[in-house]
Amino acid sequence: MKTGYKKKILGITGLICLGFSVVAVRLGYVMIAQSDKYQELARDLHQREREIKAPRGNIYDRNGVKIASNKAVYSISVIYSQMTDKKKVVQVLSEELGLETEEIKGKVYKNSVREKIKSNVEKETADRIREYKLDGVKVDEDYKRVYPYDSLASKVLGFTGGDNQGIVGLEVFYDKYLKGKSGKILTLTDGKGIEIEGAYEERDEPVAGNDLYTSLDVNLQNYVTQACEKVKKEKNAKQVSMILMNPQNGEIYAMANVPEYNLNEPFKLNSRQQQADSKKQQEYLNQKWRNSCINDTYEPGSVFKIVTAAAGLESGKVKVTDHFNCQGFRIVEDRKIRCHKTTGHGSETFREGVMNSCNPVFMEVGARVGVDGMYDMFRKLGLFEKTGIDLPGEANSIMHKKKNVKAVELATMSFGQSIQITPLQLLRAASAAVNGGKLITPHFGVRTVSADGKKEKIFEYPEKKGVIQKETSETLRDLLKAVVSEGSGRNCKIEGFSIGGKTATSEKLPRGNGKYISSFLGFSKAEDPTVMGIVLIDEPEGTYYGGTIAAPVMRSVFQVALPYLGISKDYTAEKENE
């Protein structure tokens, strides 16, 4: 009996020891092996996390001029568990922030960890709120995007939202570089979630966003904008757009879409627009922010003859000395398609046809090249694809399906009707036509640099070489130089500078509505282009011919831009008259 009793005692003791051993091992595992895990859980339970906003990277022009920066502002928020006088909090925040009492009350009485009341609060207001020393009201440093030049290049730069995130333009395209990384403040609290006064705070410092350096030139952008505003006012036009670009590498010096808008007040509407419903107001805003140089397509008209000329010369279907006869129209199937000179140009060479911008000449060239040849040139010059510009929302061309192109469609395409492209697609195609056959990628972004200056990223852009032969490009340059020196583009002529170009007057759809887009594309030097521009005047009143009203706008810009860019004169008046 005693032996059995002893065995039971030993068994129970063994079990107790085993139990203590298991508990000890488990405690040791929790306290040693998993100490970090449970310490983190405890910290999460007794800490409150507040975000520290990172300053957004600045944006600079090509000369290092700051065109987008930051201003220190503040963010006001409330913590439900820490507020001891909610009624006073509602009253103070409503008065100081100018918000409706009910709006404030809904957030103050909401049982949540943290509620943001308002962002982008000015320092003076934030300081006044601090002075009240209200429990549970947090005033944290924030940043507001500011644009020192207000409306300059507004439809290129774009703007940011309430949380400093990019919304449109370069701001959204390069958002991942510009936005930075937010930091945080960790504050110790008691079991009720109330901050312990005097307790140690942990700070995870924010990392500022990278600075973006662009190809934009503030001086050229400013002058281009002024030139567009001037002609818009003179012709009471709906809109005037202009692009200046380096046709050798695709760097864009200026891009204006007048009217522009104030980047520091991007959501501001006029009194009439403010009366509309929210859906209509959003439509007004979208239209206001729209960049027509890349977002909208149009019938290019006679500037497109550069493409047709390239197709004819490259294929060998036409030579500069070939003779044509213009009687003021050309019969294509059952259609009588007129020249802009209804009495006709008579007998003329291809060179003269280009100088005169003669529709029948280009219809004949298009017919010689054929649908396959024309579409092959469209493809080579990038007209079936987006340009790849570093801006969001780029549109693509609208072309006939090749199988649907008959003689009439081929004829109208040859002088820039019945197809639609963006102004930038046309500028890119023309660049390839005159730069020796290199299809470049238009762009603004050049490089980004980290806030501490230690890291740099240089952007590279694709280009295709040899899309047309250098001999073809050389001939095109010579023909387009003659357009300005002797032909329809003579209103862009500047003494001493060799300039090439092409005029256009496009009738807007539907035909017969009396609305036109007048345009001019020019470049210099004619023999070795380093700057190319296109200007479009949408719905001008009165005289609407591109050579009459658009070419002088480009001339006024080139008179400033050419010397500014270091493009020297290459002949004198005496030499020209020899």
Side-chain angles (χ1 to χ4, degrees):
M1 288 290 292
K2 287 184 178 180
T3 303
Y5 181 74
K6 286 181 179 180
K7 285 182 178 179
K8 286 182 179 179
I9 294 294
L10 287 172
I12 292 170
T13 303
L15 287 172
I16 291 172
C17 290
L18 180 62
F20 274 116
S21 298
V22 170
V23 171
V25 170
R26 178 61 182 168
L27 282 173
Y29 175 72
V30 168
M31 294 173 69
I32 299 172
Q34 290 194 303
S35 62
D36 290 343
K37 172 186 174 183
Y38 286 100
Q39 192 174 13
E40 186 68 27
L41 289 172
R43 191 161 37 234
D44 290 344
L45 183 64
H46 293 286
Q47 281 185 332
R48 285 284 177 264
E49 181 179 306
R50 283 155 50 201
E51 184 182 41
I52 310 173
K53 290 289 184 67
R56 194 171 174 84
N58 299 310
I59 302 178
Y60 296 90
D61 86 336
R62 68 187 301 106
N63 301 310
V65 177
K66 194 179 292 184
I67 52 181
S69 60
N70 304 294
K71 176 184 178 182
V73 289
Y74 295 83
S75 176
I76 312 298
S77 58
V78 294
I79 298 175
Y80 181 85
S81 61
Q82 296 180 11
M83 287 183 286
T84 55
D85 190 347
K86 295 183 176 64
K87 186 176 180 180
K88 188 173 182 181
V89 169
V90 171
Q91 177 193 341
V92 170
L93 295 186
S94 178
E95 291 174 357
E96 294 292 348
L97 299 177
L99 299 174
E100 293 293 331
T101 302
E102 291 304 315
E103 181 184 351
I104 301 287
K105 188 181 291 185
K107 295 180 178 180
V108 167
Y109 285 89
K110 184 177 180 181
N111 191 352
S112 62
V113 174
R114 187 184 186 91
E115 284 293 317
K116 181 177 284 189
I117 305 298
K118 190 176 181 180
S119 301
N120 294 332
V121 176
E122 297 295 332
K123 184 178 185 300
E124 296 77 10
T125 303
D127 287 343
R128 287 198 303 271
I129 292 173
R130 274 201 189 100
E131 289 173 2
Y132 286 98
K133 296 181 179 179
L134 297 168
D135 293 337
V137 175
K138 300 301 174 186
V139 181
D140 295 313
E141 188 171 296
D142 199 349
Y143 294 93
K144 177 183 179 181
R145 202 62 159 164
V146 291
Y147 303 90
Y149 293 91
D150 291 329
S151 62
L152 197 71
S154 63
K155 296 178 183 180
V156 171
L157 287 176
F159 55 90
T160 60
D163 290 327
N164 243 8
Q165 79 281 12
I167 299 293
V168 295
L170 293 175
E171 289 280 24
V172 69
F173 192 92
Y174 288 102
D175 192 60
K176 68 178 181 180
Y177 298 101
L178 293 165
K179 67 182 179 181
K181 182 182 178 182
S182 296
K184 58 187 176 183
I185 300 174
L186 295 174
T187 307
L188 195 62
T189 66
D190 61 19
K192 295 180 179 179
I194 298 174
E195 288 184 10
I196 299 173
E197 193 172 345
Y200 174 73
E201 284 187 345
E202 289 185 29
R203 285 178 68 93
D204 185 1
E205 296 298 334
V207 179
N210 295 331
D211 293 332
L212 173 66
Y213 288 81
T214 70
S215 60
L216 267 177
D217 188 298
V218 163
N219 296 317
L220 290 177
Q221 179 73 30
N222 192 46
Y223 196 77
V224 163
T225 303
Q226 289 176 3
C228 291
E229 287 173 342
K230 183 174 183 289
V231 73
K232 181 181 183 299
K233 183 178 180 181
E234 289 173 350
K235 302 301 297 181
N236 196 27
K238 179 180 177 182
Q239 178 174 274
V240 181
S241 302
M242 189 171 184
I243 310 170
L244 276 188
M245 184 179 78
N246 184 331
Q248 301 293 342
N249 61 16
E251 289 187 353
I252 299 176
Y253 301 130
M255 181 182 284
N257 293 268
V258 174
E260 302 272 358
Y261 64 92
N262 190 338
L263 287 165
N264 295 304
E265 298 178 317
F267 294 94
K268 186 176 181 180
L269 296 171
N270 63 40
S271 55
R272 179 185 63 81
Q273 293 170 335
Q274 289 173 359
Q275 304 303 314
D277 59 41
S278 58
K279 183 179 179 181
K280 193 67 178 175
Q281 284 188 17
Q282 189 59 53
E283 289 178 10
Y284 287 137
L285 289 172
N286 290 339
Q287 191 58 42
K288 172 181 172 178
W289 304 332
R290 196 170 185 82
N291 184 339
S292 293
C293 291
I294 66 164
N295 299 144
D296 296 331
T297 59
Y298 78 115
E299 284 191 340
S302 292
V303 174
F304 196 77
K305 291 171 181 173
I306 296 173
V307 176
T308 305
L313 293 167
E314 183 77 354
S315 64
K317 301 293 184 181
V318 66
K319 294 182 177 60
V320 174
T321 54
D322 283 359
H323 280 270
F324 299 82
N325 184 60
C326 170
Q327 52 186 329
F329 62 89
R330 179 181 172 90
I331 302 295
V332 182
E333 292 185 339
D334 60 344
R335 295 272 299 277
K336 186 177 185 179
I337 305 177
R338 297 185 179 279
C339 183
H340 66 89
K341 186 176 182 181
T342 55
T343 56
H345 292 101
S347 177
E348 56 188 337
T349 62
F350 180 62
R351 179 186 178 86
E352 292 168 333
V354 174
M355 289 165 54
N356 295 329
S357 194
C358 179
N359 286 351
V361 167
F362 282 89
M363 285 188 270
E364 171 63 24
V365 173
R368 290 185 189 181
V369 173
V371 177
D372 288 340
M374 288 292 285
Y375 270 59
D376 183 52
M377 183 54 62
F378 292 175
R379 180 186 56 77
K380 287 179 177 178
L381 297 182
L383 294 173
F384 288 122
E385 63 188 26
K386 297 178 182 179
T387 68
I389 188 173
D390 48 350
L391 285 176
E394 183 181 12
N396 204 349
S397 57
I398 303 172
M399 299 282 196
H400 296 289
K401 289 183 179 179
K402 191 197 286 191
K403 64 180 181 181
N404 296 332
V405 177
K406 308 303 179 189
V408 171
E409 289 77 21
L410 180 59
T412 55
M413 282 194 310
S414 299
F415 58 87
Q417 279 190 4
S418 77
I419 57 170
Q420 294 209 359
I421 57 178
T422 67
L424 190 62
Q425 282 180 309
L426 181 56
L427 195 66
R428 182 194 189 206
S431 293
V434 302
N435 69 10
K438 180 171 56 178
L439 189 64
I440 46 84
T441 301
H443 61 273
F444 291 98
V446 176
R447 61 193 173 101
T448 57
V449 180
S450 61
D452 59 11
K454 294 180 179 179
K455 294 181 180 179
E456 179 182 58
K457 178 179 177 61
I458 298 174
F459 297 112
E460 296 181 356
Y461 299 90
E463 61 179 44
K464 299 175 186 174
K465 294 182 178 179
V467 296
I468 62 171
Q469 298 178 68
K470 289 184 178 180
E471 294 77 12
T472 300
S473 184
E474 184 179 339
T475 302
L476 283 168
R477 291 197 298 269
D478 182 65
L479 290 171
L480 295 171
K481 179 182 176 182
V483 170
V484 174
S485 61
E486 306 172 56
S488 59
R490 63 179 65 90
N491 281 330
C492 189
K493 186 176 180 180
I494 303 173
E495 184 179 310
F497 291 95
S498 62
I499 297 171
K502 187 72 192 71
T503 61
T505 308
S506 331
E507 186 176 16
K508 295 180 74 172
L509 297 174
R511 308 281 183 219
N513 62 11
K515 296 179 180 180
Y516 297 85
I517 295 178
S518 305
S519 61
F520 180 83
L521 184 148
F523 57 91
S524 189
K525 294 181 175 183
E527 296 79 9
D528 182 23
T530 52
V531 61
M532 176 180 282
I534 186 170
V535 58
L536 299 94
I537 306 171
D538 191 1
E539 297 185 18
E541 290 184 357
T543 304
Y544 52 80
Y545 297 112
T548 304
I549 67 170
V553 177
M554 187 63 72
R555 179 181 61 197
S556 71
V557 170
F558 274 0
Q559 283 173 331
V560 173
L562 300 186
Y564 178 82
L565 290 170
I567 300 173
S568 58
K569 291 186 177 183
D570 45 13
Y571 68 88
T572 62
E574 291 77 15
K575 182 179 178 181
E576 182 187 16
N577 292 327
E578 288 177 358

